[in-house]
């Protein structure tokens, strides 16, 4: 699935554990785009960016919230 949606496959057991991709791997492998990316490269980069947002910002924010989830995450 990673190969299909990101255009590159992380190493199993190292950067891919079960169905989880390490955010460090995403940053190291998906951060830069060529000067004139193809549509496929652009799509893969956008998907990786969204995964990074979900895993690095939104999930971190959720883990900082109280169990009541009444606090906002600033």
């Amino acid at each position: 699935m990673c190969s299909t949606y990101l255009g590159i496959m992380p190493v199993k057991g190292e950067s891919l554990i079960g169905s989880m991709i390490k955010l460090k791997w995403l940053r190291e492998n998906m951060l830069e785009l060529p000067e004139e990316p193809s549509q496929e490269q652009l799509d893969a980069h956008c998907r990786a960016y969204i995964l990074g947002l979900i895993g690095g910002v939104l999930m971190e924010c959720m883990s900082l919230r109280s169990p009541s989830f009444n606090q906002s995450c600033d």
Side-chain angles (χ1 to χ4, degrees):
M1 210 167 182
C2 290
S3 180
T4 301
Y5 292 109
L6 299 177
I8 186 171
M9 186 68 184
V11 177
K12 288 183 181 180
E14 194 174 299
S15 301
L16 179 65
I17 302 167
S19 62
M20 296 184 300
I21 299 173
K22 289 189 176 182
L23 293 176
K24 180 181 177 186
W25 179 87
L26 276 176
R27 285 190 299 270
E28 290 173 352
N29 292 280
M30 301 300 294
L31 193 58
E32 293 189 29
L33 277 171
E35 194 169 309
E36 294 185 29
S38 67
Q39 187 61 48
E40 288 179 2
Q41 290 172 316
L42 189 57
D43 290 347
H45 182 80
C46 290
R47 289 181 190 111
Y49 184 80
I50 292 167
L51 283 174
L53 284 176
I54 292 169
V57 177
L58 297 177
M59 297 309 272
E60 181 179 329
C61 178
M62 293 295 287
S63 71
L64 296 174
R65 288 185 170 187
S66 68
S68 66
F69 295 106
N70 289 330
Q71 299 173 340
S72 65
C73 186
D74 297 323

